[in-house]
Amino acid sequence: MGNCLKTPTTDDISLLRGNDSQESDPNLGPPPPYQERVPVYHPSPNVSRPANQLTEEEQIKIAKRLGLISHLPTGVYDGSVKKGKECVICMCDFVLGDSLRFLPCMHTYHKKCIDDWLMRAFICPSCMEPVDAALLTTYESS
Amino acid sequence: MARDQGNLLLQKQLADLNKNPVEGFSAGPIDDADIFKWEVLIYGPHDTPYEGGLFKAELNFPKEYPLRPPKMSFISEMWHPNIDKDGGVCISILHEPGDDKYGYETAAERWLPVHTVETILVSVISMLADPNDESPANVDAAKMWREQPEDFKKRVARCYFQNWISFAFWKKIAAINHMCLKISLINRRTHHICKKPLRY
């Protein structure tokens, strides 16, 4: 059993130096508070909350949603007509190399466009089919 | 990023509407510098109490468009079960997306990112023709529509008569064009007239 926590002596010296320099410069204010960009989620209509303010129920709902979305197949547009030509969310034609997301109802969108939408509502914008129900039927049939 | 997408999408829709005007309304941004605020003129649909009326409204798009719906409100005076007394339009397709736990409206009935200015206005025009009095935004109007249809017609007529006064110049155009007031004509002339003073 080895000890993974290595404390080289040089560290101690640098810490001491750091302390010294702070004391010698009184103009230097306290360090800015640690800030992190917290993603904002939309657990239900008219409710938008940063990730750290979600209720437990909402956390579970969002975690489930993220898990389900990550299971939806993705791909890259290779020019085949079968995958459709246009993303109806941004109304832009697919360009070779675009990242796509395929829904179980066989509708295709830009990955970025549909992922943002599915976090708000879990239905296909084209056929309004609930994605979770469609996922279940594809599992059952395959 | 989100704002850029909305901007592009609205510019595209504006170009489409200018190229292929849709019967029944005319729409465009109020100020060229802000594509997120549109002004709309709706022509009262046939065989409804609104026939012959011109109604002005505003569409305010959020920066998250198309992931979130715009807000629509009538500037012209309006009397309709699904339009509140401040002019706010209350239809399910303009409600924030998602599933609410009370099951009041399903996600499929709410906002979808595939809606455009055209599909929104087509829905609003069909709402004018066919009010939903089960979830009214103006209870008095809903009650009158159900119980006193004749009074309802008169009340609407009073509304758009007032609108006509403010749109008096449209009447002049109609007279010049042999009283033939077609929305295609308005489409062609709206922006021209709004931007340049009339010369006789």
Side-chain angles (χ1 to χ4, degrees):
Chain A
M1 296 286 270
N3 187 357
C4 297
L5 196 71
K6 285 173 188 151
T7 49
T9 46
T10 45
D11 257 0
D12 297 343
I13 295 164
S14 68
L15 273 172
L16 281 169
R17 271 181 197 150
N19 277 346
D20 283 343
S21 66
Q22 241 180 10
E23 269 171 18
S24 63
D25 188 3
N27 292 333
L28 206 72
Y34 178 64
Q35 277 181 337
E36 197 181 2
R37 276 186 77 95
V38 183
V40 176
Y41 291 108
H42 318 277
S44 41
N46 295 312
V47 180
S48 293
R49 262 195 265 276
N52 52 10
Q53 286 169 26
L54 294 167
T55 66
E56 202 171 329
E57 198 185 338
E58 289 165 351
Q59 282 177 13
I60 294 168
K61 185 175 174 182
I62 281 157
K64 270 187 190 164
R65 184 74 55 90
L66 284 166
L68 283 169
I69 292 174
S70 69
H71 278 91
L72 296 169
T74 55
V76 172
Y77 187 64
D78 55 6
S80 72
V81 190
K82 212 172 72 183
K83 291 174 186 169
K85 270 172 65 186
E86 187 200 50
C87 171
V88 290
I89 296 179
C90 63
M91 285 180 161
C92 290
D93 285 341
F94 293 135
V95 178
L96 287 178
D98 277 356
S99 297
L100 307 181
R101 174 83 78 189
F102 307 102
L103 298 193
C105 52
M106 307 306 280
H107 287 113
T108 309
Y109 305 90
H110 281 128
K111 188 169 174 291
K112 170 88 184 57
C113 297
I114 193 69
D115 285 8
D116 282 350
W117 168 253
L118 292 177
M119 286 311 294
R120 290 173 188 259
F122 211 38
I123 57 170
C124 170
S126 301
C127 61
M128 294 180 267
E129 174 138 350
V131 178
D132 37 6
L135 262 178
L136 274 176
T137 43
T138 46
Y139 279 135
E140 276 164 12
S141 58
S142 60
Chain B
M1 175 63 206
R3 211 179 150 83
D4 289 348
Q5 193 189 24
N7 197 333
L8 272 173
L9 199 51
L10 289 168
Q11 296 281 6
K12 196 176 252 188
Q13 290 179 34
L14 180 63
D16 279 354
L17 282 172
N18 284 340
K19 216 165 95 189
N20 308 308
V22 181
E23 205 178 308
F25 69 86
S26 168
I30 298 172
D31 176 359
D32 288 342
D34 186 5
I35 189 85
F36 287 83
K37 271 193 164 101
W38 286 47
E39 190 172 70
V40 182
L41 271 176
I42 292 180
Y43 187 61
H46 290 296
D47 296 326
T48 69
Y50 303 90
E51 185 170 357
L54 262 178
F55 305 94
K56 197 163 147 186
E58 261 182 29
L59 272 172
N60 283 304
F61 292 89
K63 62 180 195 302
E64 297 95 337
Y65 179 79
L67 297 180
R68 282 187 56 216
K71 286 197 166 50
M72 182 167 175
S73 46
F74 277 88
I75 309 291
S76 307
E77 204 192 322
M78 254 309 195
W79 187 251
H80 187 282
N82 305 111
I83 298 170
D84 67 32
K85 285 176 179 167
D86 296 324
V89 176
C90 181
I91 45 173
S92 62
I93 63 153
L94 293 183
H95 290 167
E96 294 285 341
D99 269 315
D100 59 319
K101 54 185 167 188
Y102 307 108
Y104 171 63
E105 270 167 346
T106 65
E109 289 169 320
R110 289 168 172 270
W111 172 254
L112 294 171
V114 294
H115 283 306
T116 60
V117 171
E118 185 182 334
T119 63
I120 293 166
L121 293 179
V122 166
S123 297
V124 169
I125 291 168
S126 89
M127 172 200 81
L128 290 181
D130 187 16
N132 170 14
D133 67 333
E134 279 171 24
S135 57
N138 181 342
V139 182
D140 297 334
K143 203 164 165 245
M144 195 188 266
W145 182 73
R146 214 177 319 160
E147 293 165 9
Q148 300 138 326
E150 285 309 311
D151 288 351
F152 184 85
K153 272 182 205 160
K154 278 183 209 155
R155 182 71 181 77
V156 171
R158 204 175 81 204
C159 254
Y160 75 71
F161 180 69
Q162 279 172 358
N163 295 339
W164 268 109
I165 296 167
S166 58
F167 286 120
F169 62 103
W170 296 115
K171 265 188 171 171
K172 263 181 203 163
I173 300 163
I176 294 161
N177 290 281
H178 310 285
M179 297 305 283
C180 171
L181 187 67
K182 291 233 170 92
I183 203 71
S184 59
L185 167 103
I186 296 160
N187 271 334
R188 248 178 280 131
R189 291 180 171 230
T190 309
H191 293 106
H192 176 74
I193 287 165
C194 292
K195 279 172 191 160
K196 288 180 188 167
L198 274 174
R199 283 195 205 114
Y200 292 102

